[in-house]
Amino acid sequence: MNQASTPGSSVNGPATLYDKLWASHVVAHGEDGQTLLYIDRHLLHEVSTPQSFETLRRTGSPIWRPETHLAVADHAVPTRARGGAIADPQARAQVALLATNCAEFGLEHLALDGDRQGIVHVISPEQGFTLPGLTLVCGDSHTATHGAFGALAFGIGASECGVVMAVQSLWQTKAKTLRVTFKGALPRHVTAKDMALALIARIGSAGGVGYAIEYAGEAVRDLSMEGRMTLCNMTIEAGARVGLVAPDEKTFAYLQGRPRAPTGAAWDAAVAHWRTLPTDPEAVFDREIEIDAATIAPQVSYGVSPDQTLPVDGKVPSPDDLPAGPARDQLASALAYMGLKPGAKLTDIAIDTVFIGSCTNGRLEDLRAAAAIAATGKVAEGVTALVVPGSTAVKRQAEAEGLDKVFLGAGFQWRHAGCSLCVAMNDDRLPAGARCASTSNRNFEGRQGAGARTHLVSPAMAAAAALAGRLVDVRSL
Amino acid sequence: MDKIEIVEGPIARLPAANVDTDIIYPARFLLITTRDGLGKLAFHDKQDAPDYAPMFAALAGGAPILVAGPNFGCGSSREQAVWALKEAGFKVVIAPSFGEIFQSNCAKNGVLAIRMDAAEGLSTPYGLENGQPLSVDLRAQTLTGPDGAVAPFVVSPALREALLNGWDDIARIKALHRADIEAFEARRRVAEPWLFPGDRP
Ligand code: SF4
């Protein structure tokens, strides 16, 4: 409880980045440790907000500050073509509803056919809508992505989206703090995706419940902003809603000149403020984890929960090695769903589909890494490989660099921006039994289509799997 | 929001760990833009799964209480998961741990999510068979099993009050904190003016 502090004040004494972000957004304190937290920014997509707008209508609530919201369609949109009507009537209606809702309530909406469309978590940083020091929410669990900029960003439900639109604030309970320090440097071909998966495999998919995670250490500082976004993005897969990286010169360089970033004297003032945000040296975390980055290998998930992940040179574990109980049953049921035999080498698993994209790994750097591998061969026979840029801007930049030609030449499909096979809500959907090497974030049952099987990997690993027709260690190429 | 105080009836057991919101409510049904009519879609793709059969049977028998495994409702923030469970008939979900967004979505919809370690509630509720009766009293914060065994549970006082009274966030925040929000904004305009681009000359 934090009753003593003045609402909106800074913290006294050494504080973590999370503490500072929290303290600077306190509107009021509740009776039992709850805090009414001010929300600076809200992202909307077509799936999580129809019912939120309905609530506003039902309660006769106007929008408190319309300029703090930004909407874009991403989940249900087709990726084969842009322009013209969406074939699926439900998807067409849902995408159209977002546009009419935004028009009715006066919110900025990025058109599907426009230059700025893309997955919410990709376009918001691109637009400079995401900034250090602010609170940002979205009806989407991967909102933690924006923590890469030192913003307090977390996913909420549709009801809470309605609350934010109506009163610009939310009742929240402060989390405990967990610092994950990645010491040392990553080996070649090991990426932010592998850091995220290795952490989740270690602490479990509920390991971060109740915590806000700050990622620190040399390997994190060395990551590009894209890599930091990938790392923060998968925080929810460890059970935590908030993942943070302290803002630094890389953060500022990324943001300067973006359409919604401050300019001139306002920029200078903002940067001066953002420099005060990083965790103070004396600050204490509730929990600390240290991982030696040099020991991380490329990771592959073998099960139906993101923590069912191993280094690529591993073997499918056996339920028989576990004592009787829920853990054994869970592993057996995961292997049954995945159609895998205990003891099989991960690199012997044949795949028929490859998906490169999503808010986890659909940015330019990801496409470059995948293209570098794609350039060395051809997609194996019988494999369908999709490259779906995270945003239209990423697509354009990739095309300017000729990456589309590389992918197409190697037999990959080159699509328009959207969530696509990460969630299979559009017409990109896998049949039962299909097996996909995917750069997305969730290997849940049915996530890429009812009965479809997902192996989570990095972009280079996905591209390598496409060429080999099976999971393969990218370091061996 | 619907009020909730005492819920009595058979339990439906679903002991699997990490039942995510994609399982509770598959993504393809997210194209539906209403919140009504989703009950029949709860656990849709598990309708023929043997390990879900007892839970479905209890649900068909009118079970209002779901006793789930650890990390229930992890994954996607989709509130449809809660709307579907609620319309299917569940008013209370008890689990050793929850996905955080799912748990807060429950709170916004008059569904009581009770966090209880398996060890704490050994006979009540985790020792109960699927379909056995349980009584949940939110005011007293107790669970009472068929043999009269009582297990206490704890939810936050704010949540308890909101659920008992059926409070609605928007109306209450406006009524009680409008001035606080305006005062906060006035301070913030001075401290971080770049966050108010509309004010720029
Ligand atoms: S890409 Fe996947 S995880 Fe990201 S917002 Fe879209 S559906 Fe969600």
Side-chain angles (χ1 to χ4, degrees), chain A residues 14-356:
Chain A
T16 68
L17 168 58
Y18 177 72
D19 294 330
K20 297 181 195 183
L21 293 171
W22 185 274
S24 62
H25 288 87
V26 175
V27 171
H29 293 290
E31 280 156 26
D32 60 341
Q34 279 220 314
T35 298
L36 189 63
L37 208 62
Y38 190 79
I39 304 300
D40 294 309
R41 297 274 194 269
H42 175 220
L43 289 163
L44 299 84
H45 61 64
E46 76 278 28
V47 176
S48 58
T49 53
Q51 297 86 351
S52 323
F53 284 108
E54 224 18 78
T55 304
L56 296 181
R57 277 189 205 98
R58 186 167 42 79
T59 58
S61 305
I63 307 263
W64 186 278
R65 278 180 68 202
E67 73 277 15
T68 63
H69 309 266
L70 183 63
V72 70
D74 52 8
H75 282 61
V77 305
T79 59
R80 282 169 216 277
R82 272 297 129 83
I86 298 175
D88 181 289
Q90 268 188 322
R92 185 166 68 234
Q94 188 169 60
V95 169
L97 184 59
L98 179 67
T100 53
N101 276 333
C102 288
E104 177 184 339
F105 285 90
L107 309 187
E108 183 173 2
H109 170 252
L110 304 181
L112 180 54
D113 298 338
D115 287 345
R116 297 192 291 157
Q117 182 271 343
I119 304 169
V120 275
H121 309 307
V122 179
I123 61 109
S124 179
E126 281 174 359
Q127 295 302 314
F129 189 73
T130 303
L131 296 174
L134 49 68
T135 46
L136 182 151
V137 295
C138 175
D140 194 288
S141 59
H142 289 97
T143 307
T145 309
H146 310 269
F149 291 82
L152 180 52
F154 53 93
I156 57 176
S159 293
E160 289 182 312
C161 292
V163 174
V164 169
M165 290 196 271
V167 294
Q168 208 72 39
S169 50
L170 281 176
W171 283 110
Q172 292 290 306
T173 306
K174 196 174 178 191
K176 290 178 286 183
T177 51
L178 162 60
R179 177 161 60 188
V180 178
T181 306
F182 287 93
K183 288 189 352 187
L186 287 174
R188 204 167 102 82
H189 285 312
V190 178
T191 66
K193 177 64 159 287
D194 303 302
M195 294 164 78
L197 285 169
L199 170 67
I200 296 159
R202 172 155 157 190
I203 70 173
S205 55
V209 171
Y211 288 95
I213 300 180
E214 178 172 344
Y215 300 102
E218 187 191 336
V220 174
R221 299 256 68 85
D222 285 349
L223 290 174
S224 64
M225 290 312 296
E226 282 86 349
R228 294 178 189 180
M229 285 189 254
T230 301
L231 182 57
C232 289
N233 172 277
M234 288 194 71
T235 303
I236 187 72
E237 269 66 60
R241 288 169 87 172
V242 171
L244 292 165
V245 174
D248 61 10
E249 297 310 317
K250 268 186 206 171
T251 318
F252 311 145
Y254 176 99
L255 288 170
Q256 192 162 23
R258 303 264 169 190
R260 300 279 289 252
T263 53
W267 170 260
D268 296 338
V271 171
H273 172 68
W274 297 339
R275 286 190 206 284
T276 68
L277 292 174
T279 294
D280 298 327
E282 305 298 311
V284 177
F285 288 79
D286 294 303
R287 191 177 155 203
E288 299 253 16
I289 292 176
E290 225 177 67
I291 295 178
D292 181 356
T295 64
I296 302 175
Q299 306 282 308
V300 178
S301 75
Y302 59 86
V304 296
S305 173
D307 53 0
Q308 291 173 321
T309 288
L310 282 170
V312 62
D313 47 14
K315 289 181 178 161
V316 176
S318 170
D320 294 341
D321 295 343
L322 297 174
R328 184 207 283 196
D329 299 348
Q330 207 191 334
L331 178 57
S333 123
L335 297 190
Y337 180 86
M338 292 299 288
L340 294 177
K341 294 229 171 8
K345 286 170 67 178
L346 294 176
T347 48
D348 283 342
I349 298 173
I351 51 96
D352 47 54
T353 314
V354 167
F355 171 60
I356 297 171

Side-chain angles (χ1 to χ4, degrees), chain A residues 32 38 64 158-159 210 445, chain B residues 30 34 46 79 100 158 185 188:
Chain A
D32 60 341
Y38 190 79
W64 186 278
S159 293
E445 289 182 34
Chain B
L30 293 174
T34 60
K46 290 292 189 181
E79 200 160 315
E100 288 184 47
E185 284 180 339
R188 197 154 175 73

Side-chain angles (χ1 to χ4, degrees), chain B residues 151-165:
Chain B
F153 68 85
V154 183
V155 295
S156 83
L159 173 64
R160 180 166 163 271
E161 205 150 333
L163 289 173
L164 286 170
N165 292 292

Side-chain angles (χ1 to χ4, degrees), chain B residues 17-101:
Chain B
N18 300 324
V19 171
D20 56 71
T21 54
D22 273 85
I23 292 178
I24 301 172
Y25 190 87
R28 60 188 184 282
F29 302 125
L30 293 174
L31 292 171
I32 300 166
T33 56
T34 60
R35 66 165 82 199
D36 301 321
L38 311 185
K40 58 183 181 295
L41 300 173
F43 301 111
H44 182 276
D45 294 350
K46 290 292 189 181
Q47 277 166 352
D48 300 321
D51 45 337
Y52 281 67
M55 187 273 301
F56 275 117
L59 188 55
I65 301 162
L66 179 62
V67 179
N71 207 20
F72 184 75
C74 60
S76 155
S77 62
R78 64 192 66 167
E79 200 160 315
Q80 283 84 352
V82 176
W83 300 331
L85 289 178
K86 187 177 181 189
E87 197 181 285
F90 291 124
K91 296 187 172 71
V92 178
V93 188
I94 305 172
S97 59
F98 290 98
E100 288 184 47
I101 308 178

